[in-house]
Amino acid sequence: MKNIFPNQLSSHVWFVVPAVLLMILLLILPVFVAATFSFTNYNLGSPDFEWIGTKNYEVLFKYSSYKKMFTASFTYIFVVVPISIILGLFSAILISSLRFGGEIYKTIFFLPVMATLLAMAIVWDFTLDPIVGIVNQTLQKGCNTNFFYSLMTGSWLGFNPVDTWYGIACAERMPNWLGDKKYALGTIAFIGIWQSFGFNMVLYLAGLTAVPRTLYKAAEIDGASGSWESFKLVTWPLLGPTHVFVVTITSIRSFQVFDTVEALTRGGPSKSTYMMVYAMFEKGVKQNLIGIGSTLTVVFLFFVLFLTLIQVYFVNRKVHYS
Amino acid sequence: MYSIELKNIKKNFGRTPVLKAINLAIKDGEFLTLVGPSGCGKSTLLQILAGLESQDEGDVIINNKIVNNIRASHRNLAMVFQTYALYPHLTVQQNLAVPLKLRSLTSAERNPFIGPLFPTRKRKLAKIQEKIIHTSEILQISHLLGRKPAQLSGGQQQRVALGRAMVREPSAFLMDEPLSNLDAALRVHMRTELSQLHRQLKTTFVYVTHDQAEALTMSDRMAVMMNGKILQIDTPDQIYQNPLTLEVAEFIGSPKINIAPAEYDTNGHLTCLGVKISFSTAMPEQKNVKLGIRPEHFEILPQDAKIGFLADVQFKENMGSDIYLHFKTNYFEQFFIVRCSPEKARFIAVGDRIRIRWIEEKILIFGSSNELVSFKKLKP
Ligand SMILES: Nc1ncnc2c1ncn2[C@@H]1O[C@H](COP(=O)(O)OP(=O)(O)OP(=O)(O)O)[C@@H](O)[C@H]1O
Ligand SMILES: [Mg+2]
């Protein structure tokens, strides 16, 4: 039989080629295609296009609607990431200190992560409806309940109830959570937190199990009296690798927020919730503006790459204990 | 004066009793070792003493004060853990500083933001630094101060763990098998270091080990624990020569003590392996007893001697300074071990039949419930 590998040394190449080909075809090529399109004004369906250089990028950093997009995206990240991480860590610590019932809490907090966000978004849409939604119905009823009214307005603390947020809402009307640009981004962020803190909690629970119990005993012997002291001395630093992972993954996931925006606000009102991936979808898919859509994609990829590089830096430098 | 007392300590993990009514009084400045086989509850007892576990019943008394409800951080004890428990994210220097900082700085002074505002902080930190340098010199870890625990060998980590206990002045040191992970040479070295340290500091040491050599060489007194009970507390000499029960006799001493059945005849003479023993004790109630003969209490006789008994050498173990001969007799199917000098063993080969005898006055006699019935006076 003839040797199909005339050179023995080249045989290993044949093992690698299929994987490399697939990787180039499915992962790297699309990025390059997007990068190429970002320098054109190509619209899907139009017969030809022109090279317009960096004009798309200039548009992106000049036009007010894209400025709003960056503001919305970053505000969302800077709200959702810290809050969902702190909540996740806090609930993980509480749950891990439970003697029993921990499994139930884990399941409950993890439910939003498992549920399809699109389906959940519809439920939120009902819940937050300005007139018939259960939130505003409850708030409305509370206006006539003395206890609830004074609790919410803070009149028991000495505030003048009529001047407070709740007092005004009672006097005029309840907020339109998704339709008012004052509230929309906050509401979307709230749903984002609700959805992702369970995930962070699970990551932290895993991280906590890796902290040796004897370190807490050592801390106690060394004079750390109280849970805050041993949290500072042992828990927080030993969760270092988990922190890096959680921060990166939550940032990237928050960057990618799409389904709530699409289902609840469609970027509105007046672009207050015009998040990056939604903009990508709107430009590239709905309006067939491949050029600007690709530009958005490239910028988005750079952000994600940047976040990943930060993670790699921390993993290599600071939080590696072994 | 006792510095630590344990009164009737009981502890169960689930349904398994781990400690069964432990009573222990440790004198001020004493080096007390807790020895016992793995799993007998030594670590659990130490943790109860430290306040890291709670006992189900009984009292822990430190310096004449019941401390049952005082948490570990306020008992002022230092502990070296079986697994070192160094903080992996801190350097050796920072590890040593932790107990000092937590105890001498107020929480405001420790705060990284407002701490530097306190003029007292600088003075205290300088003092801490001084102590760290002093301790690390004693333990010869000065060159390691900048490293993280993961960059240290097991022995070095062990010394850092010791250092973390030594930097402050606790009312007692608790050590849970602190030398278990060292190689033989370093272990012997650290043994003398620890003994010296104890002589210098004159603080109470409670030292857990399952290595009887450590217990015998280092301690003022040792407590032999088995199955959650303390079987005997005494000086190493006493425990070696007068083990109160067969279990203690079997646990202490290496190689293990030889046990042989013996019987009193109607005249009150004791016979073992066909050999009459002239050695007289008050005859116990039962006729059947057990003799315990330590390996070094055999003597090899010339072949033509009229005393002793014959033994077949089955195995020869060379320990360098000593030779262990394993032999069998016609009367008993168990092996016996003799310890003898290399000179004496030179001409003995496996398969030889030799004549040996025991040194009668050294024999230990145990009654039918395994209690010691023959007591020896210790030579002063
Ligand atoms: N947290 C726990 N839960 C249940 N059982 C435990 C627990 N800790 C210890 N035990 C059991 O209690 C017994 C005594 O354990 P302990 O750690 O005190 O043994 P030890 O004498 O220190 O042994 P070693 O010499 O191996 O360290 C063991 O049988 C062990 O399985
Ligand atoms: Mg132990």
Side-chain angles (χ1 to χ4, degrees):
Chain A
M1 204 178 96
K2 237 172 74 183
N3 190 352
I4 55 162
F5 305 125
N7 182 353
Q8 270 295 314
L9 282 176
S10 70
S11 62
H12 60 276
V13 172
W14 292 97
F15 290 103
V16 186
V17 160
V20 171
L21 266 183
L22 277 177
M23 194 169 81
I24 291 174
L25 206 67
L26 296 177
L27 298 173
I28 299 180
L29 197 65
V31 175
F32 275 102
V33 171
T36 315
F37 276 130
S38 73
F39 297 106
T40 68
N41 66 354
Y42 178 61
N43 293 347
L44 202 67
S46 63
D48 50 24
F49 59 84
E50 282 165 36
W51 294 95
I52 55 167
T54 57
K55 211 161 152 209
N56 279 333
Y57 290 90
E58 283 161 33
V59 165
L60 207 59
F61 292 104
K62 233 165 39 200
Y63 276 33
S64 77
S65 69
Y66 294 115
K67 267 194 197 129
K68 280 183 181 161
M69 175 192 78
F70 285 122
T71 315
S73 287
F74 284 108
T75 314
Y76 182 84
I77 289 180
F78 285 118
V79 171
V80 171
V81 173
I83 295 181
S84 72
I85 286 177
I86 289 168
L87 278 179
L89 178 59
F90 194 68
S91 48
I93 289 172
L94 286 185
I95 287 175
S96 69
S97 69
L98 282 180
R99 257 187 225 168
F100 42 84
E103 299 303 319
I104 296 170
Y105 279 109
K106 268 185 233 173
T107 314
I108 292 173
F109 290 145
F110 201 66
L111 271 177
V113 185
M114 292 186 295
T116 359
L117 199 51
L118 206 59
M120 286 294 126
I122 294 165
V123 176
W124 279 110
D125 206 13
F126 280 121
T127 315
L128 294 170
D129 186 279
I131 311 294
V132 298
I134 188 164
V135 173
N136 280 4
Q137 292 256 327
T138 312
L139 287 174
Q140 195 68 58
K141 288 221 176 76
C143 293
N144 305 323
T145 317
N146 280 332
F147 169 75
F148 195 75
Y149 185 76
S150 72
L151 181 81
M152 288 294 288
T153 54
S155 66
W156 51 285
L157 285 171
F159 291 111
N160 182 4
V162 194
D163 290 342
T164 60
W165 174 85
Y166 189 60
I168 295 167
C170 275
E172 292 163 21
R173 65 189 148 81
M174 285 298 149
N176 184 351
W177 297 107
L178 291 165
D180 185 337
K181 77 173 183 193
K182 250 192 359 206
Y183 296 112
L185 186 57
T187 309
I188 296 286
F190 176 84
I191 297 172
I193 293 165
W194 167 84
Q195 201 255 335
S196 62
F197 98 91
F199 187 65
N200 293 342
M201 176 200 72
V202 168
L203 292 176
Y204 274 121
L205 277 172
L208 283 174
T209 57
V211 180
R213 308 305 314 162
T214 44
L215 282 187
Y216 291 103
K217 294 185 174 177
E220 173 86 39
I221 290 281
D222 283 345
S225 50
S227 32
W228 176 235
E229 294 277 356
S230 54
F231 175 80
K232 275 192 301 183
L233 183 59
V234 179
T235 315
W236 179 260
L238 281 170
L239 284 176
T242 317
H243 292 318
V244 173
F245 183 68
V246 169
V247 170
T248 322
I249 212 86
T250 315
S251 308
I252 292 177
R253 279 164 55 104
S254 321
F255 229 161
Q256 292 171 333
V257 61
F258 170 74
D259 8 21
T260 35
V261 182
E262 160 68 10
L264 297 175
T265 64
R266 293 174 191 265
S270 62
K271 298 234 187 292
S272 62
T273 61
Y274 195 53
M275 242 74 84
M276 207 154 178
V277 176
Y278 182 77
M280 250 150 77
F281 167 75
E282 191 191 67
K283 292 293 160 198
V285 179
K286 271 163 109 178
Q287 302 174 2
N288 290 337
L289 304 171
I290 301 296
I292 191 77
S294 302
T295 313
L296 283 164
T297 310
V298 170
V299 172
F300 174 79
L301 278 178
F302 267 103
F303 279 128
V304 173
L305 188 68
F306 179 68
L307 286 172
T308 314
L309 286 179
I310 292 178
Q311 182 202 13
V312 169
Y313 172 83
F314 274 107
V315 166
N316 288 341
R317 287 293 298 280
K318 268 195 94 175
V319 296
H320 217 53
Y321 298 139
S322 47
Chain B
M1 228 272 279
Y2 292 120
S3 80
I4 296 172
E5 284 174 86
L6 297 173
K7 287 206 170 138
N8 199 29
I9 297 287
K10 289 184 188 165
K11 175 80 181 173
N12 297 328
F13 280 122
R15 288 239 195 89
T16 8
V18 172
L19 297 177
K20 306 163 189 164
I22 298 276
N23 283 294
L24 184 61
I26 302 166
K27 291 178 202 142
D28 206 8
E30 187 174 34
F31 196 120
L32 183 117
T33 27
L34 279 173
V35 264
S38 189
C40 70
K42 306 180 295 289
S43 297
T44 311
L45 186 62
L46 206 63
Q47 307 231 351
I48 286 175
L49 175 48
L52 298 171
E53 286 276 0
S54 55
Q55 67 271 29
D56 295 340
E57 259 180 63
D59 293 325
V60 178
I61 301 164
I62 298 177
N63 294 330
N64 300 318
K65 238 173 58 192
I66 295 184
V67 294
N68 294 349
N69 296 322
I70 295 180
R71 54 183 307 164
S73 49
H74 297 301
R75 291 190 188 185
N76 195 24
L77 302 167
M79 185 155 175
V80 179
F81 290 86
Q82 200 166 355
T83 50
Y84 315 136
L86 299 174
Y87 307 111
H89 56 289
L90 301 178
T91 61
V92 170
Q93 141 100 31
Q94 290 163 329
N95 262 286
L96 296 180
V98 166
L100 296 172
K101 281 189 177 165
L102 281 174
R103 276 161 206 276
S104 66
L105 298 184
T106 61
S107 61
E109 283 171 335
R110 259 181 282 131
N111 188 306
F113 303 110
I114 61 168
L117 301 177
F118 292 88
T120 44
R121 176 181 143 112
K122 218 172 171 188
R123 205 161 357 103
K124 287 179 180 172
L125 283 182
K127 213 173 206 171
I128 288 174
Q129 186 58 20
E130 210 174 280
K131 279 186 184 164
I132 292 173
I133 287 173
H134 179 69
T135 310
S136 55
E137 270 165 11
I138 295 179
L139 292 169
Q140 299 172 12
I141 49 173
S142 310
H143 60 295
L144 305 172
L145 287 178
R147 296 210 204 157
K148 296 254 173 89
Q151 299 164 315
L152 302 177
S153 75
Q156 290 167 334
Q157 289 184 29
Q158 196 121 56
R159 276 181 283 164
V160 176
L162 273 171
R164 194 174 58 178
M166 278 164 52
V167 279
R168 56 197 184 88
E169 284 122 42
S171 60
F173 285 98
L174 312 179
M175 303 198 174
D176 196 349
E177 312 201 16
L179 308 185
S180 54
N181 287 359
L182 304 188
D183 65 61
L186 194 54
R187 192 180 310 181
V188 174
H189 172 74
M190 287 303 291
R191 225 148 71 184
T192 44
E193 295 258 306
L194 275 179
S195 295
Q196 253 175 24
L197 186 72
H198 174 242
R199 247 172 284 140
Q200 259 174 36
L201 299 174
K202 298 188 175 65
T203 315
T204 313
F205 274 58
V206 184
Y207 188 99
V208 165
T209 179
H210 59 237
D211 180 349
Q212 40 161 315
E214 273 173 29
L216 289 167
T217 50
M218 296 164 79
S219 38
D220 295 329
R221 285 194 307 155
M222 55 196 270
V224 183
M225 254 183 101
M226 239 168 261
N227 290 324
K229 276 192 217 140
I230 291 185
L231 300 182
Q232 188 172 5
I233 313 175
D234 219 321
T235 60
D237 279 348
Q238 271 291 359
I239 289 192
Y240 192 76
Q241 303 201 25
N242 285 321
L244 287 182
T245 64
L246 191 62
E247 287 94 347
V248 177
E250 285 189 303
F251 186 70
I252 301 294
S254 167
K256 214 166 124 180
I257 195 167
N258 300 295
I259 305 293
E263 207 177 315
Y264 281 96
D265 62 20
T266 42
N267 301 328
H269 289 297
L270 195 54
T271 317
C272 174
L273 304 181
V275 182
K276 263 214 176 97
I277 292 167
S278 52
F279 182 91
S280 69
T281 47
M283 190 170 80
E285 312 252 302
Q286 331 85 24
K287 288 206 161 150
N288 294 313
V289 293
K290 288 183 192 128
L291 299 193
I293 310 134
R294 298 230 179 251
E296 63 271 28
H297 296 153
F298 280 109
E299 196 182 5
I300 298 174
L301 299 168
Q303 271 304 336
D304 50 359
K306 293 280 173 311
I307 47 172
F309 55 91
L310 289 171
D312 294 320
V313 178
Q314 306 268 345
F315 186 57
K316 202 172 156 184
E317 239 181 319
N318 188 351
M319 306 301 286
S321 60
D322 288 309
I323 305 283
Y324 300 158
L325 296 174
H326 297 232
F327 69 83
K328 250 182 173 172
T329 67
N330 289 337
Y331 299 91
F332 193 52
E333 55 188 61
Q334 212 172 305
F335 280 101
F336 288 84
I337 300 178
V338 181
R339 180 207 294 253
C340 63
S341 64
E343 291 78 46
K344 281 207 166 150
R346 186 167 306 146
F347 301 109
I348 299 172
V350 173
D352 284 358
R353 172 163 285 196
I354 56 170
R355 182 164 281 277
I356 55 176
R357 69 164 190 135
W358 45 60
I359 301 166
E360 276 188 356
E361 59 274 22
K362 302 276 190 183
I363 291 176
L364 300 166
I365 303 173
F366 296 95
S368 59
S369 50
N370 291 342
E371 79 289 6
L372 184 69
V373 293
S374 63
F375 286 92
K376 311 248 167 329
K377 275 224 181 73
L378 290 190
K379 290 194 194 88

